[in-house]
Amino acid sequence: MTAPIGAAARIARLRRSMSELDLTALNSLDRLRLLTTNHVQRLHLATGSPATRSRRTRALLRRLTDRGLVVRLPRDIGGHRAGSATSTFCLTRLGQAVLTAPEVPPRRRMLWQTKPYFQDHMLAVAELYVGLVEACRDKNAELLAFEAEPTCWRRFSGPGGETLILKPDAVVRVGTGDFELASFIEVDLGTESLPTIHRKCQVYLRYWRSGQEQRDHGVFPRVWWLVHDLARLKAIVRVVGRLPSDAQPLFAIALTEEAADQLVQLPAPGDTA
DNA sequence: TCTTCACGCGGCGCTGAGCA
DNA sequence: TGCTCAGCGCCGCGTGAAGA
């Protein structure tokens, strides 16, 4: 499918007028769907004084907003412990069209039409991605792949031949030395019940036992549950502890703020969930 | 004397604008 | 590119008044 000629020409003109930085930032937004000003700055404007980086980021996002390529979500002025919240941006249909031109972008729900919980979840995944990029820079590792939803979803056949879908929040592949670390990511905001977490673990087990991931990619990634506090971490450790003992090493649980560093580190010998 | 409440002020993190 | 300033609204803290 292609765009109408008039629209396609306009999109092509728009694309030609954009800098490499503009396109890279748009690509990041397309991949992660939602980014804050702070995320864009850490990802794409990593050099210069903090004030310069900040100003250039704002200029970049203003340019993209003025052209209708991204939209800025309403932000909170003031907030917990004072200070205004950073602005959040997502791609518009025009922004998607510029990236996919001359193809018509797939119709997907715009982020500003979704619920706050979904936005928080997308931002948590985006924060993980930005943290991983920074951790890879620091530790001389390579972020080989970061697949967000829905690209990272896996369809497979259950025991009865029925089609099942595994829906991780992201799939991460990091190259460190001679090793490649692969991980399924589940970002937990503490909103799902423990029985739901248990059911999700069971889907991972079925997928593991299907052997499909091992056939397609040679290895089954470790499943990381990323949580915000210790109480939740302990609760999920208990859930994983109720799984069959041969399956427990598939899972790991970490605090969100430590996740990026742990995902680029080789696990210690005998390290399990 | 102690506790509770209301009020005002400054600082916080971020953005946008203007000037050199 | 560097710097400065104004503005946003909430929070923490200090202060003083009122009540027990």
Side-chain angles (χ1 to χ4, degrees):
Chain A
M1 192 191 283
T2 54
I5 292 174
R10 181 183 163 220
I11 289 165
R13 256 200 319 275
L14 201 52
R15 189 184 167 93
R16 277 196 302 275
S17 70
M18 291 171 66
S19 69
E20 194 61 34
L21 177 61
D22 292 352
L23 285 169
T24 317
L26 273 193
N27 267 312
S28 295
L29 270 166
D30 185 46
R31 170 187 285 190
L32 298 159
R33 306 186 69 181
L34 215 56
L35 287 175
T36 64
T37 311
N38 179 267
H39 289 150
V40 175
Q41 180 173 324
R42 287 155 64 195
L43 281 175
H44 302 297
L45 292 131
T47 56
S49 71
T52 300
R53 293 169 58 200
S54 169
R55 189 174 33 75
R56 288 183 64 200
T57 308
R58 290 201 300 274
L60 162 68
L61 288 167
R62 191 171 50 238
R63 202 161 55 237
L64 296 179
T65 306
D66 289 348
R67 290 176 170 192
L69 299 168
V70 306
V71 67
R72 183 164 151 178
L73 274 50
R75 72 178 179 129
D76 293 331
I77 303 294
H80 185 59
R81 291 197 60 80
S84 304
T86 180
S87 294
T88 306
F89 296 83
C90 66
L91 216 54
T92 61
R93 290 202 200 289
L94 180 60
Q96 286 177 33
V98 164
L99 289 177
T100 56
E103 300 298 316
V104 172
R107 288 183 73 82
R108 71 182 183 195
R109 187 188 290 267
M110 294 291 101
L111 264 294
W112 63 87
Q113 299 164 336
T114 63
K115 295 185 172 154
Y117 160 75
F118 186 62
Q119 294 176 8
D120 288 346
H121 194 258
M122 287 290 109
L123 283 175
V125 174
E127 174 60 35
L128 174 70
Y129 174 73
V130 176
L132 273 173
V133 169
E134 291 175 328
C136 285
R137 276 186 206 139
D138 290 348
K139 298 181 190 297
N140 211 15
E142 189 182 358
L143 185 55
L144 301 170
F146 186 98
E147 295 172 39
E149 295 181 271
T151 319
C152 62
W153 291 358
R154 305 284 200 259
R155 282 186 165 69
F156 66 103
S157 297
E162 74 280 20
T163 299
L164 298 173
I165 306 177
L166 176 74
K167 295 182 176 178
D169 294 326
V171 173
V172 174
R173 295 185 191 280
V174 173
T176 168
D178 293 334
F179 296 93
E180 181 182 318
L181 302 174
S183 312
F184 284 127
I185 304 296
E186 287 287 346
V187 177
D188 177 78
L189 297 181
T191 51
E192 288 184 331
S193 68
L194 294 178
T196 304
I197 302 286
H198 190 259
R199 277 195 296 276
K200 276 195 162 186
C201 289
Q202 297 285 2
V203 177
Y204 276 104
L205 284 192
R206 287 194 193 121
Y207 184 53
W208 174 52
R209 286 177 177 143
S210 76
Q212 180 179 309
E213 183 76 13
Q214 295 90 319
R215 278 194 301 278
D216 292 348
H217 297 94
V219 64
F220 193 86
R222 202 164 207 211
V223 182
W224 284 85
W225 286 97
L226 307 184
V227 300
H228 279 86
D229 58 64
L230 276 176
R232 186 70 175 172
L233 187 144
K234 287 175 185 166
I236 295 185
V237 165
R238 283 196 295 277
V239 171
V240 171
R242 294 207 308 271
L243 298 172
S245 56
D246 65 326
Q248 292 178 18
L250 289 180
F251 296 90
I253 304 108
L255 291 173
T256 313
E257 62 262 31
E258 297 167 357
D261 283 338
Q262 296 203 18
L263 286 170
V264 302
Q265 249 171 27
L266 287 172
D271 183 21
T272 67

